[in-house]
Amino acid sequence: MSKTTNQIKPSEITPESAFLSRRRLLKSAAAAGLIPAIGCDAAQIPADGDFSNLKAWPSSVTEAPNSYEDITQYNNYYEFGTGKEDPARNAHTLVTSPWTVEVTGEAEKTGKYALEDILQPHTLEDRIYRFRCVEAWSMIVPWVGFPLGDLLARFQPNSQAKYVQFFTLNDPNQMPGVRRNVLQWPYREGLTIAEAMNPLTLLTVGVYGKVLPNQNGAPLRLIVPWKYGFKSIKSIVRIHFTDRMPQTSWNMSQPSEYGFYSNVNPNVDHPRWSQASERRLGSSLFSSRIPTLMFNGYADEVGDLYRGLNLVENF
Ligand code: MTE
């Protein structure tokens, strides 16, 4: 069973230095053939919340990850408040076990699945990704997860499944923020089926070798590293295969500012601010900004998905 955030003692959180040196050790041990270069056999959430024996993804970025504190204390999770510090303060009321994910729409296998059944056959990996928020700040985050496409394939989507939509839990008893109409609840997001099947797209259960804290979207969230952070929907309770471009929360809220694609694109500004550069979280407010990369630096992996698409119109 997973631990909720308040069950994980601070002493159980791996210090970044220990995490990184262990990771280097594992990598070199694997390279030397001392340990098999595979991840956990099955992606069950371990009782102690520790995923330390993971295969490091070879294409992880080499930039230094942000601190555990940056990643878990400065969040966007409007179900727990609109301030950056609200989720860490308020998300302890989210009950992440038991957890059920409902699969609906254009697929052979639909129905309700316990989280354990969702995760069971998958191999977890340790992937360090760039994460770029539409608000023009960014982080480097060591996620723990497995490719979303591997899960979706198990449901056997049919030829009508052109898009996949995701929904977050919507429970006013656990989520004080949904009592206010700052967005239309439940929070929802969507991808084309090709984006969803791309091997970069990650279903995530942990960060820094530990179970996801609630404020980061426990027990199961999406990470789409070439899109603005708001596509990375948290605490997923439903996956819906559909033939139509699905509704997404931020597009419903401000259609002129947030499009369906939401690819990180330094050449297309947000109507109210530039997207050409970003501030890496943790660095001084006064330090110089770094240039934003097309598709957040993942152009080689995902550029082909958008060949021929007008990225100014399809922002
Ligand atoms: N998912 C839900 N359910 N609710 C939210 O408010 N915020 C999004 C995204 N996923 C959000 C969400 C936004 S705007 C961002 S930038 C990222 O989560 C932030 O992820 P993080 O808190 O792990 O950094």
Side-chain angles (χ1 to χ4, degrees), residues 151-164:
L151 173 70
L152 298 188
R154 286 170 55 200
F155 305 125
Q156 299 171 14
N158 63 37
S159 60
Q160 297 302 304
K162 307 262 194 301
Y163 298 90
V164 192

mmCIF file with all atom_site columns, all heavy atoms in Angstrom, residues 151-164:
data_model
loop_
_atom_site.group_PDB
_atom_site.id
_atom_site.type_symbol
_atom_site.label_atom_id
_atom_site.label_alt_id
_atom_site.label_comp_id
_atom_site.label_asym_id
_atom_site.label_entity_id
_atom_site.label_seq_id
_atom_site.pdbx_PDB_ins_code
_atom_site.Cartn_x
_atom_site.Cartn_y
_atom_site.Cartn_z
_atom_site.occupancy
_atom_site.B_iso_or_equiv
_atom_site.pdbx_formal_charge
_atom_site.auth_seq_id
_atom_site.auth_comp_id
_atom_site.auth_asym_id
_atom_site.auth_atom_id
_atom_site.pdbx_PDB_model_num
ATOM 1   N N   . LEU A 1 151 ? 0.789   1.326  -20.813 1.00 0.00 ? 151 LEU A N   1
ATOM 2   C CA  . LEU A 1 151 ? -0.487  1.086  -20.128 1.00 0.00 ? 151 LEU A CA  1
ATOM 3   C C   . LEU A 1 151 ? -1.637  1.163  -21.128 1.00 0.00 ? 151 LEU A C   1
ATOM 4   O O   . LEU A 1 151 ? -2.498  0.280  -21.177 1.00 0.00 ? 151 LEU A O   1
ATOM 5   C CB  . LEU A 1 151 ? -0.707  2.122  -19.022 1.00 0.00 ? 151 LEU A CB  1
ATOM 6   C CG  . LEU A 1 151 ? -2.085  2.038  -18.364 1.00 0.00 ? 151 LEU A CG  1
ATOM 7   C CD1 . LEU A 1 151 ? -2.210  0.776  -17.515 1.00 0.00 ? 151 LEU A CD1 1
ATOM 8   C CD2 . LEU A 1 151 ? -2.390  3.264  -17.525 1.00 0.00 ? 151 LEU A CD2 1
ATOM 9   N N   . LEU A 1 152 ? -1.652  2.207  -21.963 1.00 0.00 ? 152 LEU A N   1
ATOM 10  C CA  . LEU A 1 152 ? -2.783  2.388  -22.888 1.00 0.00 ? 152 LEU A CA  1
ATOM 11  C C   . LEU A 1 152 ? -2.928  1.176  -23.805 1.00 0.00 ? 152 LEU A C   1
ATOM 12  O O   . LEU A 1 152 ? -4.046  0.754  -24.110 1.00 0.00 ? 152 LEU A O   1
ATOM 13  C CB  . LEU A 1 152 ? -2.607  3.674  -23.696 1.00 0.00 ? 152 LEU A CB  1
ATOM 14  C CG  . LEU A 1 152 ? -2.582  4.976  -22.890 1.00 0.00 ? 152 LEU A CG  1
ATOM 15  C CD1 . LEU A 1 152 ? -2.601  6.181  -23.839 1.00 0.00 ? 152 LEU A CD1 1
ATOM 16  C CD2 . LEU A 1 152 ? -3.729  5.061  -21.883 1.00 0.00 ? 152 LEU A CD2 1
ATOM 17  N N   . ALA A 1 153 ? -1.817  0.614  -24.243 1.00 0.00 ? 153 ALA A N   1
ATOM 18  C CA  . ALA A 1 153 ? -1.873  -0.543 -25.150 1.00 0.00 ? 153 ALA A CA  1
ATOM 19  C C   . ALA A 1 153 ? -2.618  -1.709 -24.503 1.00 0.00 ? 153 ALA A C   1
ATOM 20  O O   . ALA A 1 153 ? -3.306  -2.475 -25.185 1.00 0.00 ? 153 ALA A O   1
ATOM 21  C CB  . ALA A 1 153 ? -0.457  -0.965 -25.537 1.00 0.00 ? 153 ALA A CB  1
ATOM 22  N N   . ARG A 1 154 ? -2.539  -1.821 -23.179 1.00 0.00 ? 154 ARG A N   1
ATOM 23  C CA  . ARG A 1 154 ? -3.221  -2.933 -22.495 1.00 0.00 ? 154 ARG A CA  1
ATOM 24  C C   . ARG A 1 154 ? -4.738  -2.831 -22.637 1.00 0.00 ? 154 ARG A C   1
ATOM 25  O O   . ARG A 1 154 ? -5.446  -3.841 -22.562 1.00 0.00 ? 154 ARG A O   1
ATOM 26  C CB  . ARG A 1 154 ? -2.862  -2.940 -21.005 1.00 0.00 ? 154 ARG A CB  1
ATOM 27  C CG  . ARG A 1 154 ? -1.449  -3.432 -20.745 1.00 0.00 ? 154 ARG A CG  1
ATOM 28  C CD  . ARG A 1 154 ? -1.034  -3.188 -19.287 1.00 0.00 ? 154 ARG A CD  1
ATOM 29  N NE  . ARG A 1 154 ? -1.958  -3.768 -18.328 1.00 0.00 ? 154 ARG A NE  1
ATOM 30  C CZ  . ARG A 1 154 ? -2.054  -3.380 -17.038 1.00 0.00 ? 154 ARG A CZ  1
ATOM 31  N NH1 . ARG A 1 154 ? -1.276  -2.417 -16.585 1.00 0.00 ? 154 ARG A NH1 1
ATOM 32  N NH2 . ARG A 1 154 ? -2.908  -3.961 -16.230 1.00 0.00 ? 154 ARG A NH2 1
ATOM 33  N N   . PHE A 1 155 ? -5.266  -1.617 -22.848 1.00 0.00 ? 155 PHE A N   1
ATOM 34  C CA  . PHE A 1 155 ? -6.721  -1.455 -22.986 1.00 0.00 ? 155 PHE A CA  1
ATOM 35  C C   . PHE A 1 155 ? -7.190  -1.650 -24.435 1.00 0.00 ? 155 PHE A C   1
ATOM 36  O O   . PHE A 1 155 ? -8.363  -1.582 -24.725 1.00 0.00 ? 155 PHE A O   1
ATOM 37  C CB  . PHE A 1 155 ? -7.156  -0.077 -22.475 1.00 0.00 ? 155 PHE A CB  1
ATOM 38  C CG  . PHE A 1 155 ? -6.721  0.192  -21.059 1.00 0.00 ? 155 PHE A CG  1
ATOM 39  C CD1 . PHE A 1 155 ? -5.974  1.311  -20.741 1.00 0.00 ? 155 PHE A CD1 1
ATOM 40  C CD2 . PHE A 1 155 ? -7.037  -0.705 -20.055 1.00 0.00 ? 155 PHE A CD2 1
ATOM 41  C CE1 . PHE A 1 155 ? -5.564  1.545  -19.441 1.00 0.00 ? 155 PHE A CE1 1
ATOM 42  C CE2 . PHE A 1 155 ? -6.627  -0.483 -18.751 1.00 0.00 ? 155 PHE A CE2 1
ATOM 43  C CZ  . PHE A 1 155 ? -5.879  0.641  -18.443 1.00 0.00 ? 155 PHE A CZ  1
ATOM 44  N N   . GLN A 1 156 ? -6.255  -1.859 -25.332 1.00 0.00 ? 156 GLN A N   1
ATOM 45  C CA  . GLN A 1 156 ? -6.549  -2.085 -26.752 1.00 0.00 ? 156 GLN A CA  1
ATOM 46  C C   . GLN A 1 156 ? -7.470  -1.010 -27.340 1.00 0.00 ? 156 GLN A C   1
ATOM 47  O O   . GLN A 1 156 ? -8.606  -1.285 -27.726 1.00 0.00 ? 156 GLN A O   1
ATOM 48  C CB  . GLN A 1 156 ? -7.151  -3.484 -26.946 1.00 0.00 ? 156 GLN A CB  1
ATOM 49  C CG  . GLN A 1 156 ? -6.202  -4.573 -26.501 1.00 0.00 ? 156 GLN A CG  1
ATOM 50  C CD  . GLN A 1 156 ? -6.852  -5.956 -26.466 1.00 0.00 ? 156 GLN A CD  1
ATOM 51  O OE1 . GLN A 1 156 ? -7.924  -6.180 -27.002 1.00 0.00 ? 156 GLN A OE1 1
ATOM 52  N NE2 . GLN A 1 156 ? -6.181  -6.881 -25.821 1.00 0.00 ? 156 GLN A NE2 1
ATOM 53  N N   . PRO A 1 157 ? -6.974  0.230  -27.416 1.00 0.00 ? 157 PRO A N   1
ATOM 54  C CA  . PRO A 1 157 ? -7.777  1.279  -28.048 1.00 0.00 ? 157 PRO A CA  1
ATOM 55  C C   . PRO A 1 157 ? -8.111  0.903  -29.493 1.00 0.00 ? 157 PRO A C   1
ATOM 56  O O   . PRO A 1 157 ? -7.298  0.273  -30.174 1.00 0.00 ? 157 PRO A O   1
ATOM 57  C CB  . PRO A 1 157 ? -6.857  2.512  -27.991 1.00 0.00 ? 157 PRO A CB  1
ATOM 58  C CG  . PRO A 1 157 ? -5.515  2.041  -27.541 1.00 0.00 ? 157 PRO A CG  1
ATOM 59  C CD  . PRO A 1 157 ? -5.680  0.699  -26.917 1.00 0.00 ? 157 PRO A CD  1
ATOM 60  N N   . ASN A 1 158 ? -9.302  1.267  -29.955 1.00 0.00 ? 158 ASN A N   1
ATOM 61  C CA  . ASN A 1 158 ? -9.701  0.921  -31.323 1.00 0.00 ? 158 ASN A CA  1
ATOM 62  C C   . ASN A 1 158 ? -9.351  2.072  -32.279 1.00 0.00 ? 158 ASN A C   1
ATOM 63  O O   . ASN A 1 158 ? -8.783  3.076  -31.868 1.00 0.00 ? 158 ASN A O   1
ATOM 64  C CB  . ASN A 1 158 ? -11.190 0.534  -31.376 1.00 0.00 ? 158 ASN A CB  1
ATOM 65  C CG  . ASN A 1 158 ? -12.093 1.687  -30.984 1.00 0.00 ? 158 ASN A CG  1
ATOM 66  O OD1 . ASN A 1 158 ? -11.806 2.844  -31.308 1.00 0.00 ? 158 ASN A OD1 1
ATOM 67  N ND2 . ASN A 1 158 ? -13.179 1.378  -30.285 1.00 0.00 ? 158 ASN A ND2 1
ATOM 68  N N   . SER A 1 159 ? -9.717  1.911  -33.559 1.00 0.00 ? 159 SER A N   1
ATOM 69  C CA  . SER A 1 159 ? -9.273  2.896  -34.559 1.00 0.00 ? 159 SER A CA  1
ATOM 70  C C   . SER A 1 159 ? -9.950  4.259  -34.379 1.00 0.00 ? 159 SER A C   1
ATOM 71  O O   . SER A 1 159 ? -9.521  5.247  -34.956 1.00 0.00 ? 159 SER A O   1
ATOM 72  C CB  . SER A 1 159 ? -9.521  2.360  -35.966 1.00 0.00 ? 159 SER A CB  1
ATOM 73  O OG  . SER A 1 159 ? -10.910 2.126  -36.113 1.00 0.00 ? 159 SER A OG  1
ATOM 74  N N   . GLN A 1 160 ? -11.004 4.326  -33.583 1.00 0.00 ? 160 GLN A N   1
ATOM 75  C CA  . GLN A 1 160 ? -11.658 5.611  -33.287 1.00 0.00 ? 160 GLN A CA  1
ATOM 76  C C   . GLN A 1 160 ? -10.919 6.400  -32.200 1.00 0.00 ? 160 GLN A C   1
ATOM 77  O O   . GLN A 1 160 ? -11.226 7.561  -31.955 1.00 0.00 ? 160 GLN A O   1
ATOM 78  C CB  . GLN A 1 160 ? -13.104 5.383  -32.802 1.00 0.00 ? 160 GLN A CB  1
ATOM 79  C CG  . GLN A 1 160 ? -14.001 4.746  -33.837 1.00 0.00 ? 160 GLN A CG  1
ATOM 80  C CD  . GLN A 1 160 ? -14.053 5.583  -35.096 1.00 0.00 ? 160 GLN A CD  1
ATOM 81  O OE1 . GLN A 1 160 ? -14.399 6.762  -35.050 1.00 0.00 ? 160 GLN A OE1 1
ATOM 82  N NE2 . GLN A 1 160 ? -13.683 4.991  -36.223 1.00 0.00 ? 160 GLN A NE2 1
ATOM 83  N N   . ALA A 1 161 ? -10.009 5.764  -31.540 1.00 0.00 ? 161 ALA A N   1
ATOM 84  C CA  . ALA A 1 161 ? -9.313  6.408  -30.405 1.00 0.00 ? 161 ALA A CA  1
ATOM 85  C C   . ALA A 1 161 ? -8.232  7.329  -30.955 1.00 0.00 ? 161 ALA A C   1
ATOM 86  O O   . ALA A 1 161 ? -7.066  6.976  -31.043 1.00 0.00 ? 161 ALA A O   1
ATOM 87  C CB  . ALA A 1 161 ? -8.717  5.341  -29.491 1.00 0.00 ? 161 ALA A CB  1
ATOM 88  N N   . LYS A 1 162 ? -8.642  8.549  -31.281 1.00 0.00 ? 162 LYS A N   1
ATOM 89  C CA  . LYS A 1 162 ? -7.697  9.526  -31.848 1.00 0.00 ? 162 LYS A CA  1
ATOM 90  C C   . LYS A 1 162 ? -7.065  10.398 -30.750 1.00 0.00 ? 162 LYS A C   1
ATOM 91  O O   . LYS A 1 162 ? -6.027  11.003 -30.954 1.00 0.00 ? 162 LYS A O   1
ATOM 92  C CB  . LYS A 1 162 ? -8.439  10.463 -32.821 1.00 0.00 ? 162 LYS A CB  1
ATOM 93  C CG  . LYS A 1 162 ? -9.231  9.724  -33.910 1.00 0.00 ? 162 LYS A CG  1
ATOM 94  C CD  . LYS A 1 162 ? -8.429  9.660  -35.182 1.00 0.00 ? 162 LYS A CD  1
ATOM 95  C CE  . LYS A 1 162 ? -9.260  9.244  -36.382 1.00 0.00 ? 162 LYS A CE  1
ATOM 96  N NZ  . LYS A 1 162 ? -9.896  7.930  -36.243 1.00 0.00 ? 162 LYS A NZ  1
ATOM 97  N N   . TYR A 1 163 ? -7.740  10.473 -29.616 1.00 0.00 ? 163 TYR A N   1
ATOM 98  C CA  . TYR A 1 163 ? -7.277  11.299 -28.494 1.00 0.00 ? 163 TYR A CA  1
ATOM 99  C C   . TYR A 1 163 ? -7.486  10.536 -27.190 1.00 0.00 ? 163 TYR A C   1
ATOM 100 O O   . TYR A 1 163 ? -8.310  9.621  -27.118 1.00 0.00 ? 163 TYR A O   1
ATOM 101 C CB  . TYR A 1 163 ? -8.100  12.598 -28.392 1.00 0.00 ? 163 TYR A CB  1
ATOM 102 C CG  . TYR A 1 163 ? -7.993  13.498 -29.590 1.00 0.00 ? 163 TYR A CG  1
ATOM 103 C CD1 . TYR A 1 163 ? -8.879  13.370 -30.668 1.00 0.00 ? 163 TYR A CD1 1
ATOM 104 C CD2 . TYR A 1 163 ? -7.013  14.496 -29.649 1.00 0.00 ? 163 TYR A CD2 1
ATOM 105 C CE1 . TYR A 1 163 ? -8.786  14.194 -31.769 1.00 0.00 ? 163 TYR A CE1 1
ATOM 106 C CE2 . TYR A 1 163 ? -6.919  15.335 -30.750 1.00 0.00 ? 163 TYR A CE2 1
ATOM 107 C CZ  . TYR A 1 163 ? -7.808  15.174 -31.806 1.00 0.00 ? 163 TYR A CZ  1
ATOM 108 O OH  . TYR A 1 163 ? -7.719  15.996 -32.893 1.00 0.00 ? 163 TYR A OH  1
ATOM 109 N N   . VAL A 1 164 ? -6.742  10.969 -26.174 1.00 0.00 ? 164 VAL A N   1
ATOM 110 C CA  . VAL A 1 164 ? -6.938  10.421 -24.830 1.00 0.00 ? 164 VAL A CA  1
ATOM 111 C C   . VAL A 1 164 ? -7.153  11.597 -23.879 1.00 0.00 ? 164 VAL A C   1
ATOM 112 O O   . VAL A 1 164 ? -6.399  12.575 -23.916 1.00 0.00 ? 164 VAL A O   1
ATOM 113 C CB  . VAL A 1 164 ? -5.714  9.615  -24.349 1.00 0.00 ? 164 VAL A CB  1
ATOM 114 C CG1 . VAL A 1 164 ? -6.074  8.826  -23.099 1.00 0.00 ? 164 VAL A CG1 1
ATOM 115 C CG2 . VAL A 1 164 ? -5.187  8.710  -25.431 1.00 0.00 ? 164 VAL A CG2 1
#
